[in-house]
Amino acid sequence: MADATLNTPVIPAVRSAGYWQNVGARLVRDKTAMAAASVLLLLLLAAIFAPLVAPMDPLEGRLINRLKPIGTEGHLLGTDELGRDMLSRLIWGGRLSLLMGVTPVVLAFIIGSAIGIIAGYAGGWTNTLIMRTVDVFYAFPSVLLAVALSGALGAGLGNALLSLTVVFIPPIARVAESVTTRLRSSDFIEAARASGAGAFTIVRVHVLGNVLGPIFVYATSLIAVSMILASGLSFLGLGVRPPNPEWGLMLNTLRTAIYVQPWVAALPGAMIFLVSISFNLLSDGLRSAMEVRQ
């Protein structure tokens, strides 16, 4: 009698898609998030290739052409108070504006995640000492803290980036500590301890991969806040210095022209709003894509 197993068809093993592959697939299906990502990518490319894209020198202007309206021949988006081309200044301004929005969050993500993970995994008096120190910064509103630090350090791009980084470290550290504390008592962490793995190995192999996702999603939502705060610092004269184009600084210099050319004066604010809402929509889409229950 022939072995029945010889006639049994062989079914090849199908490897299930990984977690991040599923996240990417769900994110791509989110039309709102993809539209926001497309807008951000377009603005980023325009900023990177500003020398090729901008029609004119952003620092060159003629007073005879000052405050030309939108649609003026040779100046698609008009001119500013010194006769400089607004389209060129908006494109070049995206470099500093995006830099001031993303860089502090990236630095705060690295530092705050490290602080929060150490506090959450260690627990006990280490957690208390670190997190109570972090809580001191919560006594100050973020705007007031950023202005105070920038005022103490002095105006300039580097000091503004440092101030914003300090502002964003506490909230990211708080999220990292909360996620790590919940994860510390998980069964697979206990199994790793029982197998003799050291604290550094457990954190590197088991903790990081599970906590960086939620922290990253939260950090992306702070980019919009960082851009608004950075624009506010430039508006107050504590960030980028003129004549360098930056959206917050441009908004400050054009505020006196709001009654003469309101649409031209509102353009930097519109760019700040567009980038901020795009980052928020992309962050919401990423958060939904990482939801395990989906």
Side-chain angles (χ1 to χ4, degrees):
M1 184 177 180
D3 191 348
T5 58
L6 297 178
N7 298 324
T8 303
V10 178
I11 302 176
V14 179
R15 184 179 180 180
S16 60
Y19 170 72
W20 290 108
Q21 291 176 319
N22 292 329
V23 169
R26 287 194 291 266
L27 185 62
V28 169
R29 289 196 297 267
D30 190 333
K31 295 181 179 179
T32 302
M34 286 296 97
S38 300
V39 171
L40 293 174
L41 179 61
L42 180 63
L43 293 176
L44 178 62
L45 291 176
I48 293 174
F49 297 103
L52 302 177
V53 177
M56 297 183 181
D57 187 342
L59 303 180
E60 182 180 349
R62 299 178 63 187
L63 290 178
I64 194 174
N65 291 329
R66 66 188 303 268
L67 296 177
K68 293 292 184 180
I70 295 176
T72 300
E73 184 179 358
H75 301 284
L76 183 62
L77 296 182
T79 59
D80 67 359
E81 75 285 356
L82 296 178
R84 296 170 295 195
D85 183 63
M86 279 295 295
L87 177 59
S88 301
R89 289 184 64 79
L90 288 173
I91 293 174
W92 278 92
R95 283 187 164 189
L96 289 176
S97 297
L98 292 173
L99 175 68
M100 295 182 70
V102 175
T103 303
V105 176
V106 172
L107 295 176
F109 173 76
I110 296 172
I111 300 172
S113 297
I115 293 174
I117 290 173
I118 292 172
Y121 185 80
W125 66 268
T126 303
N127 182 297
T128 301
L129 177 62
I130 294 176
M131 298 315 298
R132 295 299 78 79
T133 303
V134 169
D135 287 343
V136 172
F137 291 91
Y138 281 104
F140 306 94
S142 57
V143 177
L144 179 60
L145 182 59
V147 171
L149 290 173
S150 295
L153 295 173
L157 177 61
N159 291 337
L161 294 176
L162 178 60
S163 302
L164 293 174
T165 300
V166 173
V167 168
F168 291 122
I169 287 176
I172 292 179
R174 171 59 65 187
V175 172
E177 185 270 340
S178 177
V179 176
T180 306
T181 299
R182 291 198 304 267
L183 188 70
R184 185 180 58 188
S185 58
S186 300
D187 292 339
F188 66 92
I189 297 294
E190 295 295 338
R193 290 198 191 99
S195 67
F200 179 78
T201 301
I202 294 175
V203 170
R204 181 176 60 85
V205 176
H206 301 288
V207 175
L208 284 179
N210 288 280
V211 303
L212 287 183
I215 302 172
F216 176 76
V217 172
Y218 176 72
T220 56
S221 67
L222 294 178
I223 295 178
V225 181
S226 179
M227 284 201 61
I228 294 173
L229 289 179
S231 299
L233 292 178
S234 297
F235 184 89
L236 296 173
L238 297 173
V240 179
R241 297 178 179 179
N244 296 314
E246 194 274 331
W247 295 338
L249 181 61
M250 292 169 63
L251 199 62
N252 181 26
T253 57
L254 283 168
R255 71 183 189 279
T256 57
I258 192 69
Y259 299 106
V260 181
Q261 290 292 349
W263 293 110
V264 173
L267 285 174
M271 294 301 297
I272 295 171
F273 172 79
L274 177 63
V275 174
S276 299
I277 196 66
S278 297
F279 271 118
N280 281 332
L281 292 174
L282 180 60
S283 176
D284 290 341
L286 186 58
R287 183 181 297 108
S288 298
M290 292 183 67
E291 179 57 55
V292 178
R293 287 174 298 179
Q294 296 185 15

